[in-house]
Amino acid sequence: MSNLDLAVIGNCTLSALIDSRGRIVWSCLPRFDGDPVFCTLLNDHGGSDKGFYDIELLDCAGSEQRYRENSAIVVTTLYDSAGAAIEITDFAPRFKQFERVFRPIILMRIVRPLSGSPRVRVRLRPAYDYGKRRPETTRGSNHVRYVMPDLTLRLTTNAPVTYILDEVPFVLDRPVTLLLGPDESLTQSIIESGRSFLEKTNAYWREWCRGLSLPFEWQDDVIRAAITLKLSNFEESGAVVAAMTTSLPEAPDSRRNWDYRYCWLRDSYFVVHALNRLGATKTMEGYLGYITNIVAGAEAGYLQPVYGITQEDRLTEREIDSLAGYRGMGPVRVGNDAYSQVQNDGYGSVVLACTQAFFDRRLERPGDAALFGRLELLGEQAVRRWNQPDAGLWELRTRNRVHTHSAVMCWAACDRLSKIATQLRLPERARYWRGHAETIREGVLRDAWSPQAESFTESFGGDHLDASVLLMPELGFLPGRDPHFEKTLKRIDARLRNDGHIFRYEAEDDFGRPETSFIVCSFWYVDALAAAGRRDEARELFDELIASRNSLGLLSEDIDSKSGELWGNFPQTYSMVGLINSAMRLSKSWEEAF
Protein backbone atom coordinates (compact mmCIF):
# COMPACT_ATOMS: atom_id res chain seq x y z
CA MET A 1 0.00 0.00 0.00
CA SER A 2 1.30 3.46 -0.89
CA ASN A 3 2.32 5.91 1.80
CA LEU A 4 4.13 9.22 1.87
CA ASP A 5 7.41 7.92 3.24
CA LEU A 6 8.94 9.13 -0.01
CA ALA A 7 12.11 10.87 -1.07
CA VAL A 8 12.20 13.63 -3.67
CA ILE A 9 14.96 14.26 -6.18
CA GLY A 10 15.08 16.99 -8.81
CA ASN A 11 17.07 19.69 -10.52
CA CYS A 12 14.66 22.66 -10.84
CA THR A 13 13.37 21.35 -14.17
CA LEU A 14 11.94 17.98 -13.17
CA SER A 15 11.44 15.94 -10.05
CA ALA A 16 10.76 12.36 -9.01
CA LEU A 17 9.38 10.66 -5.90
CA ILE A 18 11.04 7.44 -4.75
CA ASP A 19 9.60 4.97 -2.24
CA SER A 20 11.49 3.12 0.48
CA ARG A 21 12.28 0.18 -1.84
CA GLY A 22 13.86 2.41 -4.46
CA ARG A 23 10.91 2.47 -6.87
CA ILE A 24 10.24 5.71 -8.73
CA VAL A 25 6.48 6.10 -8.28
CA TRP A 26 5.91 9.64 -9.53
CA SER A 27 7.64 11.84 -12.07
CA CYS A 28 6.14 14.31 -14.53
CA LEU A 29 8.16 14.94 -17.68
CA PRO A 30 9.50 17.03 -19.22
CA ARG A 31 8.60 19.42 -16.36
CA PHE A 32 6.69 19.60 -13.06
CA ASP A 33 3.23 19.97 -14.63
CA GLY A 34 3.80 17.47 -17.42
CA ASP A 35 2.33 14.04 -18.10
CA PRO A 36 3.33 11.68 -15.26
CA VAL A 37 5.58 9.16 -16.97
CA PHE A 38 5.78 7.37 -13.62
CA CYS A 39 2.41 7.47 -11.90
CA THR A 40 1.83 4.42 -9.68
CA LEU A 41 1.58 6.71 -6.66
CA LEU A 42 -1.92 7.40 -8.00
CA ASN A 43 -2.55 3.97 -9.47
CA ASP A 44 -1.36 1.26 -7.09
CA HIS A 45 -4.83 0.16 -6.01
CA GLY A 46 -5.02 -3.50 -7.00
CA GLY A 47 -1.62 -3.34 -8.70
CA SER A 48 -0.50 -1.60 -11.87
CA ASP A 49 1.33 -2.91 -14.90
CA LYS A 50 2.88 0.42 -15.91
CA GLY A 51 4.02 3.80 -14.70
CA PHE A 52 6.96 2.86 -12.45
CA TYR A 53 10.73 2.35 -12.47
CA ASP A 54 11.88 -0.38 -10.12
CA ILE A 55 15.31 -1.76 -9.25
CA GLU A 56 14.08 -4.95 -7.62
CA LEU A 57 16.30 -7.02 -5.32
CA LEU A 58 15.03 -10.57 -5.42
CA ASP A 59 14.04 -11.94 -2.00
CA CYS A 60 14.28 -8.43 -0.57
CA ALA A 61 13.95 -8.53 3.21
CA GLY A 62 14.56 -4.92 4.21
CA SER A 63 15.63 -1.47 3.15
CA GLU A 64 17.18 1.76 4.37
CA GLN A 65 17.03 5.17 2.73
CA ARG A 66 18.84 8.44 3.29
CA TYR A 67 19.98 11.58 1.56
CA ARG A 68 23.64 12.19 1.02
CA GLU A 69 24.65 14.91 3.42
CA ASN A 70 23.60 18.39 2.25
CA SER A 71 22.44 17.21 -1.15
CA ALA A 72 19.43 16.22 -3.24
CA ILE A 73 20.92 12.77 -3.87
CA VAL A 74 19.06 9.78 -2.42
CA VAL A 75 20.71 6.49 -1.46
CA THR A 76 18.53 3.39 -0.97
CA THR A 77 20.08 0.20 0.43
CA LEU A 78 18.23 -3.08 -0.08
CA TYR A 79 18.99 -6.34 1.77
CA ASP A 80 17.93 -9.89 0.90
CA SER A 81 17.32 -12.69 3.38
CA ALA A 82 20.71 -14.29 2.64
CA GLY A 83 22.67 -11.17 3.61
CA ALA A 84 23.34 -9.80 0.12
CA ALA A 85 22.85 -6.08 -0.35
CA ILE A 86 22.75 -3.45 -3.06
CA GLU A 87 22.86 0.33 -3.05
CA ILE A 88 20.81 2.52 -5.42
CA THR A 89 21.90 6.14 -5.85
CA ASP A 90 19.24 8.38 -7.41
CA PHE A 91 19.60 11.98 -8.55
CA ALA A 92 18.79 14.48 -11.28
CA PRO A 93 22.00 16.11 -12.57
CA ARG A 94 22.47 19.76 -11.63
CA PHE A 95 25.76 21.62 -11.74
CA LYS A 96 27.48 24.63 -13.22
CA GLN A 97 28.76 24.25 -16.76
CA PHE A 98 29.72 26.85 -19.37
CA GLU A 99 28.90 29.67 -16.91
CA ARG A 100 25.33 28.50 -16.38
CA VAL A 101 23.51 25.78 -14.46
CA PHE A 102 23.15 22.49 -16.33
CA ARG A 103 19.79 20.91 -15.40
CA PRO A 104 18.92 18.39 -18.13
CA ILE A 105 15.80 16.23 -18.37
CA ILE A 106 17.64 13.25 -16.91
CA LEU A 107 16.99 10.78 -14.10
CA MET A 108 20.18 9.00 -13.13
CA ARG A 109 20.41 5.74 -11.20
CA ILE A 110 23.65 4.04 -10.14
CA VAL A 111 23.28 0.54 -8.68
CA ARG A 112 26.17 -1.25 -7.04
CA PRO A 113 26.59 -4.48 -5.07
CA LEU A 114 27.56 -4.13 -1.40
CA SER A 115 27.78 -7.74 -0.21
CA GLY A 116 27.02 -11.30 -1.24
CA SER A 117 25.71 -12.21 -4.69
CA PRO A 118 22.57 -10.11 -5.06
CA ARG A 119 20.18 -10.84 -7.93
CA VAL A 120 18.31 -7.86 -9.32
CA ARG A 121 15.64 -7.17 -11.90
CA VAL A 122 15.14 -3.81 -13.58
CA ARG A 123 11.51 -3.06 -14.34
CA LEU A 124 11.24 0.17 -16.30
CA ARG A 125 7.67 0.74 -17.43
CA PRO A 126 6.92 4.35 -18.34
CA ALA A 127 3.41 5.40 -19.28
CA TYR A 128 1.78 8.39 -20.96
CA ASP A 129 -1.60 10.08 -21.25
CA TYR A 130 -1.99 9.91 -17.48
CA GLY A 131 -1.32 6.21 -17.22
CA LYS A 132 -3.49 5.08 -20.10
CA ARG A 133 -0.84 3.81 -22.47
CA ARG A 134 2.63 2.32 -22.60
CA PRO A 135 5.12 3.69 -25.13
CA GLU A 136 6.56 1.83 -28.07
CA THR A 137 10.07 0.56 -27.47
CA THR A 138 13.04 0.19 -29.76
CA ARG A 139 16.50 -0.97 -28.81
CA GLY A 140 20.12 -0.37 -29.66
CA SER A 141 23.30 -2.06 -28.51
CA ASN A 142 23.41 -0.14 -25.21
CA HIS A 143 20.15 1.71 -25.07
CA VAL A 144 16.36 1.45 -25.17
CA ARG A 145 14.10 4.11 -26.63
CA TYR A 146 10.61 4.71 -25.20
CA VAL A 147 8.59 6.49 -27.88
CA MET A 148 5.52 8.53 -26.90
CA PRO A 149 3.56 11.05 -28.99
CA ASP A 150 5.08 14.13 -27.33
CA LEU A 151 8.22 12.73 -25.75
CA THR A 152 10.88 10.15 -26.49
CA LEU A 153 13.08 8.93 -23.66
CA ARG A 154 16.28 6.98 -24.03
CA LEU A 155 17.70 4.66 -21.39
CA THR A 156 21.44 4.31 -21.79
CA THR A 157 23.10 1.68 -19.63
CA ASN A 158 25.96 -0.75 -19.18
CA ALA A 159 23.50 -3.42 -18.01
CA PRO A 160 22.37 -6.04 -20.55
CA VAL A 161 19.66 -4.35 -22.60
CA THR A 162 17.76 -7.60 -23.17
CA TYR A 163 17.59 -8.19 -19.43
CA ILE A 164 15.96 -4.80 -19.02
CA LEU A 165 13.52 -5.20 -21.89
CA ASP A 166 12.49 -8.70 -20.79
CA GLU A 167 12.84 -7.97 -17.05
CA VAL A 168 15.22 -10.90 -16.60
CA PRO A 169 16.91 -11.25 -13.18
CA PHE A 170 20.70 -11.13 -13.17
CA VAL A 171 23.52 -11.25 -10.64
CA LEU A 172 24.75 -7.76 -9.86
CA ASP A 173 28.51 -8.34 -9.73
CA ARG A 174 29.60 -4.85 -10.77
CA PRO A 175 28.12 -1.34 -10.67
CA VAL A 176 25.39 -0.57 -13.20
CA THR A 177 24.55 2.93 -14.39
CA LEU A 178 21.17 3.80 -15.89
CA LEU A 179 20.61 7.20 -17.50
CA LEU A 180 17.04 7.94 -18.55
CA GLY A 181 16.84 11.15 -20.53
CA PRO A 182 16.60 12.75 -23.97
CA ASP A 183 16.86 10.68 -27.12
CA GLU A 184 20.49 11.67 -27.61
CA SER A 185 23.80 9.80 -27.71
CA LEU A 186 26.30 10.34 -24.90
CA THR A 187 29.62 11.99 -25.61
CA GLN A 188 31.44 9.77 -23.11
CA SER A 189 30.95 6.30 -21.65
CA ILE A 190 27.88 5.67 -19.51
CA ILE A 191 30.07 4.77 -16.52
CA GLU A 192 32.08 7.96 -16.83
CA SER A 193 28.92 10.01 -17.37
CA GLY A 194 27.37 8.59 -14.21
CA ARG A 195 30.49 9.15 -12.14
CA SER A 196 31.01 12.69 -13.42
CA PHE A 197 27.36 13.70 -13.06
CA LEU A 198 27.24 12.32 -9.52
CA GLU A 199 30.40 14.09 -8.36
CA LYS A 200 29.41 17.41 -9.91
CA THR A 201 25.82 17.27 -8.64
CA ASN A 202 26.98 16.42 -5.13
CA ALA A 203 29.50 19.28 -5.24
CA TYR A 204 26.83 21.70 -6.48
CA TRP A 205 24.42 20.99 -3.62
CA ARG A 206 27.11 21.03 -0.96
CA GLU A 207 28.29 24.40 -2.23
CA TRP A 208 24.71 25.70 -2.30
CA CYS A 209 24.21 24.63 1.31
CA ARG A 210 27.45 26.29 2.37
CA GLY A 211 25.94 29.60 1.28
CA LEU A 212 22.94 29.27 3.63
CA SER A 213 22.71 31.45 6.74
CA LEU A 214 21.54 28.74 9.13
CA PRO A 215 20.18 28.95 12.65
CA PHE A 216 22.42 27.35 15.28
CA GLU A 217 19.84 24.71 16.18
CA TRP A 218 18.05 22.29 13.85
CA GLN A 219 20.58 22.83 11.08
CA ASP A 220 20.08 19.49 9.32
CA ASP A 221 16.31 19.94 9.42
CA VAL A 222 16.52 23.42 7.92
CA ILE A 223 18.97 22.32 5.23
CA ARG A 224 16.64 19.53 4.11
CA ALA A 225 13.69 21.91 4.05
CA ALA A 226 15.68 24.51 2.10
CA ILE A 227 16.81 22.02 -0.54
CA THR A 228 13.21 20.83 -0.91
CA LEU A 229 12.02 24.40 -1.47
CA LYS A 230 14.75 24.96 -4.03
CA LEU A 231 13.69 21.81 -5.87
CA SER A 232 10.18 23.31 -6.17
CA ASN A 233 11.51 26.23 -8.21
CA PHE A 234 10.99 25.87 -11.97
CA GLU A 235 14.14 27.76 -12.76
CA GLU A 236 13.50 28.34 -16.46
CA SER A 237 10.68 30.79 -15.70
CA GLY A 238 11.24 31.52 -12.01
CA ALA A 239 7.90 29.99 -10.93
CA VAL A 240 7.53 28.03 -7.70
CA VAL A 241 5.12 25.10 -7.53
CA ALA A 242 3.07 24.43 -4.39
CA ALA A 243 3.87 20.70 -4.53
CA MET A 244 5.12 18.07 -6.98
CA THR A 245 1.89 16.09 -7.07
CA THR A 246 -1.77 16.18 -7.91
CA SER A 247 -4.75 14.59 -6.18
CA LEU A 248 -3.19 13.21 -3.01
CA PRO A 249 -6.26 13.52 -0.73
CA GLU A 250 -6.20 15.81 2.29
CA ALA A 251 -7.95 13.05 4.26
CA PRO A 252 -9.10 9.50 3.45
CA ASP A 253 -11.94 9.35 0.94
CA SER A 254 -12.58 13.06 1.35
CA ARG A 255 -12.53 14.00 -2.36
CA ARG A 256 -10.35 16.93 -1.29
CA ASN A 257 -8.01 16.05 -4.15
CA TRP A 258 -6.41 18.98 -5.96
CA ASP A 259 -3.67 19.58 -8.50
CA TYR A 260 -0.85 21.57 -6.85
CA ARG A 261 1.69 21.57 -9.69
CA TYR A 262 1.24 25.29 -10.35
CA CYS A 263 2.43 28.62 -9.03
CA TRP A 264 0.24 30.16 -6.32
CA LEU A 265 1.18 33.76 -5.61
CA ARG A 266 0.78 33.33 -1.85
CA ASP A 267 2.75 30.07 -1.65
CA SER A 268 5.51 31.57 -3.75
CA TYR A 269 5.83 34.53 -1.41
CA PHE A 270 6.27 32.25 1.58
CA VAL A 271 8.91 30.19 -0.25
CA VAL A 272 10.82 33.25 -1.43
CA HIS A 273 10.65 34.80 2.03
CA ALA A 274 11.94 31.64 3.74
CA LEU A 275 14.85 31.25 1.33
CA ASN A 276 15.66 34.96 1.64
CA ARG A 277 15.91 34.52 5.41
CA LEU A 278 18.53 31.84 4.76
CA GLY A 279 20.43 34.10 2.36
CA ALA A 280 19.44 32.13 -0.76
CA THR A 281 18.22 35.08 -2.83
CA LYS A 282 18.57 33.58 -6.30
CA THR A 283 15.07 32.11 -6.11
CA MET A 284 13.68 35.58 -5.37
CA GLU A 285 15.56 37.03 -8.33
CA GLY A 286 14.14 34.37 -10.64
CA TYR A 287 10.65 34.82 -9.22
CA LEU A 288 10.86 38.56 -9.83
CA GLY A 289 11.28 37.81 -13.51
CA TYR A 290 8.29 35.49 -13.45
CA ILE A 291 6.02 37.88 -11.58
CA THR A 292 7.13 40.89 -13.66
CA ASN A 293 5.87 39.08 -16.74
CA ILE A 294 2.61 38.19 -14.97
CA VAL A 295 2.02 41.78 -13.87
CA ALA A 296 2.93 43.15 -17.31
CA GLY A 297 0.11 41.10 -18.79
CA ALA A 298 -2.40 41.79 -16.01
CA GLU A 299 -5.14 44.24 -16.98
CA ALA A 300 -5.07 47.16 -14.51
CA GLY A 301 -3.05 45.02 -12.11
CA TYR A 302 -5.74 42.34 -11.57
CA LEU A 303 -4.15 39.06 -10.48
CA GLN A 304 -5.42 35.51 -10.47
CA PRO A 305 -4.45 33.52 -7.38
CA VAL A 306 -2.59 30.88 -9.39
CA TYR A 307 -0.85 30.58 -12.76
CA GLY A 308 0.90 27.89 -14.72
CA ILE A 309 4.66 27.61 -14.40
CA THR A 310 5.18 29.39 -17.70
CA GLN A 311 2.47 32.00 -17.08
CA GLU A 312 -0.51 29.96 -18.30
CA ASP A 313 -3.64 31.75 -17.12
CA ARG A 314 -6.18 29.02 -17.89
CA LEU A 315 -5.82 25.94 -15.71
CA THR A 316 -9.16 24.34 -16.50
CA GLU A 317 -9.82 21.51 -14.08
CA ARG A 318 -10.88 18.08 -15.24
CA GLU A 319 -11.19 14.62 -13.76
CA ILE A 320 -9.50 11.69 -15.43
CA ASP A 321 -10.47 8.05 -15.10
CA SER A 322 -7.22 6.39 -16.16
CA LEU A 323 -5.70 6.64 -12.66
CA ALA A 324 -7.56 5.18 -9.69
CA GLY A 325 -6.11 7.64 -7.20
CA TYR A 326 -3.94 7.35 -4.11
CA ARG A 327 -4.96 4.04 -2.48
CA GLY A 328 -7.89 4.06 -4.90
CA MET A 329 -9.21 7.31 -3.42
CA GLY A 330 -10.17 9.33 -6.48
CA PRO A 331 -10.87 11.49 -8.22
CA VAL A 332 -7.61 12.37 -9.92
CA ARG A 333 -7.78 15.96 -11.07
CA VAL A 334 -5.65 17.78 -13.65
CA GLY A 335 -5.78 21.57 -13.64
CA ASN A 336 -7.19 23.73 -10.87
CA ASP A 337 -10.27 25.92 -11.15
CA ALA A 338 -8.98 28.12 -8.34
CA TYR A 339 -7.42 30.17 -11.15
CA SER A 340 -10.86 31.67 -11.79
CA GLN A 341 -11.54 32.60 -8.16
CA VAL A 342 -11.23 36.03 -6.61
CA GLN A 343 -8.61 35.86 -3.85
CA ASN A 344 -7.64 39.29 -2.67
CA ASP A 345 -4.55 38.34 -0.69
CA GLY A 346 -2.50 37.90 -3.86
CA TYR A 347 -1.67 41.60 -4.18
CA GLY A 348 0.02 41.64 -0.81
CA SER A 349 1.76 38.35 -1.59
CA VAL A 350 3.42 39.75 -4.69
CA VAL A 351 4.45 43.04 -3.10
CA LEU A 352 5.87 41.20 -0.08
CA ALA A 353 7.82 38.82 -2.32
CA CYS A 354 9.36 41.76 -4.18
CA THR A 355 10.10 44.06 -1.23
CA GLN A 356 13.54 42.74 -0.31
CA ALA A 357 14.75 43.49 -3.84
CA PHE A 358 14.58 47.21 -3.05
CA PHE A 359 16.73 46.90 0.08
CA ASP A 360 19.21 44.07 -0.56
CA ARG A 361 22.52 45.45 -1.84
CA ARG A 362 23.77 42.00 -2.90
CA LEU A 363 21.39 41.64 -5.84
CA GLU A 364 22.57 41.95 -9.42
CA ARG A 365 19.30 43.63 -10.42
CA PRO A 366 17.82 45.43 -7.43
CA GLY A 367 14.30 46.85 -7.43
CA ASP A 368 13.97 50.19 -9.18
CA ALA A 369 11.38 52.81 -10.05
CA ALA A 370 10.08 50.75 -12.97
CA LEU A 371 9.33 47.75 -10.75
CA PHE A 372 7.82 50.04 -8.13
CA GLY A 373 5.49 51.45 -10.76
CA ARG A 374 4.27 47.97 -11.64
CA LEU A 375 3.74 47.14 -7.98
CA GLU A 376 1.72 50.32 -7.48
CA LEU A 377 -0.87 48.89 -9.88
CA LEU A 378 -1.23 45.97 -7.49
CA GLY A 379 -1.50 48.37 -4.58
CA GLU A 380 -4.40 50.13 -6.24
CA GLN A 381 -6.16 46.80 -6.58
CA ALA A 382 -5.53 46.15 -2.87
CA VAL A 383 -7.07 49.53 -2.00
CA ARG A 384 -10.18 48.70 -4.00
CA ARG A 385 -10.52 45.14 -2.74
CA TRP A 386 -9.51 44.99 0.93
CA ASN A 387 -13.11 45.07 2.18
CA GLN A 388 -14.69 43.10 -0.68
CA PRO A 389 -15.78 39.42 -0.53
CA ASP A 390 -13.46 36.75 -1.90
CA ALA A 391 -12.85 33.01 -1.69
CA GLY A 392 -10.02 33.52 0.79
CA LEU A 393 -6.71 31.73 1.07
CA TRP A 394 -8.46 28.39 1.66
CA GLU A 395 -10.12 28.73 -1.77
CA LEU A 396 -13.69 28.03 -0.69
CA ARG A 397 -15.72 27.14 -3.76
CA THR A 398 -19.27 27.82 -2.64
CA ARG A 399 -19.13 31.01 -0.58
CA ASN A 400 -17.45 34.40 -0.57
CA ARG A 401 -16.82 36.60 2.45
CA VAL A 402 -14.64 39.56 3.40
CA HIS A 403 -11.84 37.43 4.76
CA THR A 404 -9.66 38.90 7.47
CA HIS A 405 -6.45 37.44 6.08
CA SER A 406 -7.13 38.90 2.63
CA ALA A 407 -7.69 42.34 4.18
CA VAL A 408 -4.47 42.07 6.21
CA MET A 409 -2.55 41.15 3.08
CA CYS A 410 -4.01 44.19 1.29
CA TRP A 411 -2.75 46.24 4.24
CA ALA A 412 0.67 44.61 3.80
CA ALA A 413 0.73 45.62 0.13
CA CYS A 414 0.17 49.29 1.02
CA ASP A 415 2.48 49.19 4.03
CA ARG A 416 5.41 47.79 2.02
CA LEU A 417 4.78 50.13 -0.90
CA SER A 418 5.12 53.03 1.53
CA LYS A 419 8.44 51.66 2.77
CA ILE A 420 9.67 51.04 -0.76
CA ALA A 421 8.74 54.58 -1.75
CA THR A 422 10.73 55.91 1.20
CA GLN A 423 13.71 53.81 0.11
CA LEU A 424 13.40 55.23 -3.42
CA ARG A 425 13.15 58.78 -1.99
CA LEU A 426 9.60 59.31 -3.20
CA PRO A 427 8.05 61.03 -0.17
CA GLU A 428 4.70 61.84 -1.78
CA ARG A 429 4.15 58.23 -2.78
CA ALA A 430 5.26 57.09 0.65
CA ARG A 431 2.61 59.29 2.29
CA TYR A 432 0.01 58.13 -0.20
CA TRP A 433 0.54 54.45 0.56
CA ARG A 434 0.91 55.04 4.29
CA GLY A 435 -2.49 56.71 4.32
CA HIS A 436 -4.11 53.72 2.62
CA ALA A 437 -2.34 51.30 4.96
CA GLU A 438 -3.68 53.15 7.99
CA THR A 439 -7.22 53.17 6.59
CA ILE A 440 -7.15 49.41 5.99
CA ARG A 441 -5.62 48.71 9.40
CA GLU A 442 -8.35 50.67 11.15
CA GLY A 443 -10.99 48.78 9.18
CA VAL A 444 -9.55 45.37 10.07
CA LEU A 445 -9.26 46.22 13.76
CA ARG A 446 -12.85 47.42 13.74
CA ASP A 447 -14.59 44.82 11.58
CA ALA A 448 -12.58 41.62 12.11
CA TRP A 449 -12.69 41.72 15.92
CA SER A 450 -15.56 39.89 17.63
CA PRO A 451 -16.28 41.16 21.16
CA GLN A 452 -18.43 38.09 21.78
CA ALA A 453 -15.71 35.62 20.78
CA GLU A 454 -12.93 37.88 22.11
CA SER A 455 -10.98 37.02 18.99
CA PHE A 456 -10.17 38.08 15.47
CA THR A 457 -12.38 35.99 13.24
CA GLU A 458 -12.08 34.53 9.77
CA SER A 459 -14.17 37.29 8.19
CA PHE A 460 -15.60 40.71 8.87
CA GLY A 461 -18.60 40.43 11.16
CA GLY A 462 -18.15 36.67 11.45
CA ASP A 463 -17.92 34.50 14.51
CA HIS A 464 -15.78 31.57 13.31
CA LEU A 465 -12.06 31.16 13.98
CA ASP A 466 -9.42 30.82 11.28
CA ALA A 467 -5.75 29.92 11.76
CA SER A 468 -4.63 32.49 9.18
CA VAL A 469 -5.07 35.31 11.74
CA LEU A 470 -2.02 33.81 13.48
CA LEU A 471 0.06 35.51 10.78
CA MET A 472 -0.71 39.03 12.03
CA PRO A 473 2.58 39.39 13.99
CA GLU A 474 4.63 37.74 11.25
CA LEU A 475 3.29 40.26 8.72
CA GLY A 476 3.87 43.18 11.09
CA PHE A 477 0.19 44.00 11.44
CA LEU A 478 0.14 43.60 15.23
CA PRO A 479 2.78 42.83 17.87
CA GLY A 480 2.59 39.35 19.34
CA ARG A 481 1.87 40.73 22.80
CA ASP A 482 -1.03 42.91 21.69
CA PRO A 483 -3.93 42.12 24.07
CA HIS A 484 -6.34 41.44 21.21
CA PHE A 485 -3.89 39.03 19.60
CA GLU A 486 -3.17 37.25 22.89
CA LYS A 487 -6.92 36.70 23.37
CA THR A 488 -7.14 35.39 19.80
CA LEU A 489 -4.28 33.00 20.48
CA LYS A 490 -6.04 31.70 23.59
CA ARG A 491 -9.25 31.18 21.64
CA ILE A 492 -7.48 29.32 18.83
CA ASP A 493 -5.79 27.09 21.40
CA ALA A 494 -9.21 26.17 22.77
CA ARG A 495 -11.08 25.73 19.49
CA LEU A 496 -8.64 24.77 16.72
CA ARG A 497 -5.92 22.81 18.51
CA ASN A 498 -6.18 19.02 18.49
CA ASP A 499 -3.45 16.73 19.83
CA GLY A 500 -0.83 19.40 19.28
CA HIS A 501 -1.94 20.24 15.73
CA ILE A 502 -3.91 23.25 14.50
CA PHE A 503 -6.85 22.95 12.12
CA ARG A 504 -7.36 25.61 9.47
CA TYR A 505 -10.82 26.66 10.61
CA GLU A 506 -13.79 25.43 12.58
CA ALA A 507 -16.66 26.11 10.17
CA GLU A 508 -17.83 23.50 7.70
CA ASP A 509 -16.69 24.04 4.13
CA ASP A 510 -17.69 22.66 0.75
CA PHE A 511 -16.90 19.08 1.90
CA GLY A 512 -17.93 19.27 5.55
CA ARG A 513 -15.60 19.64 8.53
CA PRO A 514 -11.88 19.14 7.89
CA GLU A 515 -10.63 15.80 9.24
CA THR A 516 -6.90 16.50 9.18
CA SER A 517 -4.89 19.50 10.24
CA PHE A 518 -3.08 21.72 7.76
CA ILE A 519 0.55 21.36 8.82
CA VAL A 520 1.70 24.92 8.23
CA CYS A 521 -1.03 26.20 10.60
CA SER A 522 0.74 24.43 13.45
CA PHE A 523 3.98 26.19 12.55
CA TRP A 524 2.08 29.50 12.47
CA TYR A 525 0.86 28.69 15.96
CA VAL A 526 4.45 27.99 17.09
CA ASP A 527 5.54 31.37 15.74
CA ALA A 528 2.59 33.11 17.37
CA LEU A 529 3.43 31.53 20.75
CA ALA A 530 7.00 32.76 20.44
CA ALA A 531 5.85 36.26 19.43
CA ALA A 532 3.58 36.32 22.48
CA GLY A 533 6.51 35.48 24.75
CA ARG A 534 5.58 31.81 25.27
CA ARG A 535 8.88 30.54 23.95
CA ASP A 536 9.17 27.33 25.98
CA GLU A 537 5.73 26.18 24.80
CA ALA A 538 6.70 27.06 21.25
CA ARG A 539 9.91 25.00 21.37
CA GLU A 540 8.13 22.00 22.82
CA LEU A 541 5.48 22.04 20.12
CA PHE A 542 8.08 22.63 17.41
CA ASP A 543 9.98 19.51 18.46
CA GLU A 544 6.74 17.53 18.19
CA LEU A 545 6.11 18.90 14.70
CA ILE A 546 9.51 18.05 13.28
CA ALA A 547 9.13 14.55 14.73
CA SER A 548 6.05 14.15 12.50
CA ARG A 549 8.10 14.34 9.29
CA ASN A 550 8.68 11.23 7.22
CA SER A 551 11.94 9.28 7.46
CA LEU A 552 13.60 11.58 4.91
CA GLY A 553 12.69 14.77 6.79
CA LEU A 554 9.87 15.81 4.44
CA LEU A 555 6.29 16.94 5.03
CA SER A 556 3.09 16.83 3.04
CA GLU A 557 0.19 19.26 3.30
CA ASP A 558 -1.88 17.63 6.06
CA ILE A 559 -1.53 15.28 9.01
CA ASP A 560 -3.93 13.07 10.92
CA SER A 561 -3.54 14.46 14.42
CA LYS A 562 -4.31 11.11 16.04
CA SER A 563 -2.36 8.60 13.93
CA GLY A 564 0.36 10.98 12.74
CA GLU A 565 -0.09 9.82 9.14
CA LEU A 566 0.75 12.35 6.43
CA TRP A 567 -1.89 13.26 3.84
CA GLY A 568 -2.21 15.74 0.99
CA ASN A 569 0.06 16.77 -1.82
CA PHE A 570 3.77 16.13 -1.36
CA PRO A 571 6.25 17.53 -0.61
CA GLN A 572 4.33 20.65 0.39
CA THR A 573 6.27 23.91 0.17
CA TYR A 574 4.01 25.59 2.73
CA SER A 575 4.93 22.98 5.34
CA MET A 576 8.68 23.14 4.67
CA VAL A 577 8.50 26.96 4.84
CA GLY A 578 6.83 26.68 8.23
CA LEU A 579 9.67 24.51 9.53
CA ILE A 580 12.31 26.99 8.38
CA ASN A 581 10.56 30.05 9.77
CA SER A 582 9.93 28.47 13.16
CA ALA A 583 13.49 27.17 13.45
CA MET A 584 14.86 30.60 12.60
CA ARG A 585 12.62 32.22 15.21
CA LEU A 586 13.23 29.71 18.02
CA SER A 587 16.90 28.80 17.68
CA LYS A 588 19.38 30.20 20.12
CA SER A 589 21.77 32.57 18.37
CA TRP A 590 25.29 31.60 17.38
CA GLU A 591 26.55 34.12 19.92
CA GLU A 592 24.61 32.36 22.70
CA ALA A 593 25.78 28.91 21.67
CA PHE A 594 29.44 29.13 22.71
Side-chain angles (χ1 to χ4, degrees), residues 63 218 489:
S63 66
W218 304 293
L489 191 55

PDB file of all heavy atoms in Angstrom, residues 63 218 489:
ATOM      1  N   SER A  63      15.058  -2.597   3.876  1.00  0.00           N
ATOM      2  CA  SER A  63      15.635  -1.468   3.148  1.00  0.00           C
ATOM      3  C   SER A  63      15.959  -0.336   4.109  1.00  0.00           C
ATOM      4  O   SER A  63      15.381  -0.236   5.203  1.00  0.00           O
ATOM      5  CB  SER A  63      14.673  -0.972   2.062  1.00  0.00           C
ATOM      6  OG  SER A  63      13.500  -0.419   2.637  1.00  0.00           O
ATOM      7  N   TRP A 218      18.835  22.933  14.916  1.00  0.00           N
ATOM      8  CA  TRP A 218      18.051  22.288  13.850  1.00  0.00           C
ATOM      9  C   TRP A 218      18.647  22.518  12.457  1.00  0.00           C
ATOM     10  O   TRP A 218      17.928  22.649  11.465  1.00  0.00           O
ATOM     11  CB  TRP A 218      16.598  22.788  13.890  1.00  0.00           C
ATOM     12  CG  TRP A 218      15.928  22.594  15.207  1.00  0.00           C
ATOM     13  CD1 TRP A 218      15.587  21.402  15.800  1.00  0.00           C
ATOM     14  CD2 TRP A 218      15.503  23.620  16.111  1.00  0.00           C
ATOM     15  NE1 TRP A 218      14.985  21.637  17.005  1.00  0.00           N
ATOM     16  CE2 TRP A 218      14.913  22.979  17.228  1.00  0.00           C
ATOM     17  CE3 TRP A 218      15.548  25.013  16.083  1.00  0.00           C
ATOM     18  CZ2 TRP A 218      14.385  23.677  18.296  1.00  0.00           C
ATOM     19  CZ3 TRP A 218      15.032  25.719  17.146  1.00  0.00           C
ATOM     20  CH2 TRP A 218      14.454  25.064  18.250  1.00  0.00           C
ATOM     21  N   LEU A 489      -5.130  34.180  20.330  1.00  0.00           N
ATOM     22  CA  LEU A 489      -4.283  33.001  20.476  1.00  0.00           C
ATOM     23  C   LEU A 489      -4.896  32.015  21.481  1.00  0.00           C
ATOM     24  O   LEU A 489      -4.922  30.799  21.249  1.00  0.00           O
ATOM     25  CB  LEU A 489      -2.890  33.448  20.931  1.00  0.00           C
ATOM     26  CG  LEU A 489      -1.764  32.421  20.914  1.00  0.00           C
ATOM     27  CD1 LEU A 489      -1.608  31.797  19.538  1.00  0.00           C
ATOM     28  CD2 LEU A 489      -0.454  33.100  21.343  1.00  0.00           C
TER      29      LEU A 489
END
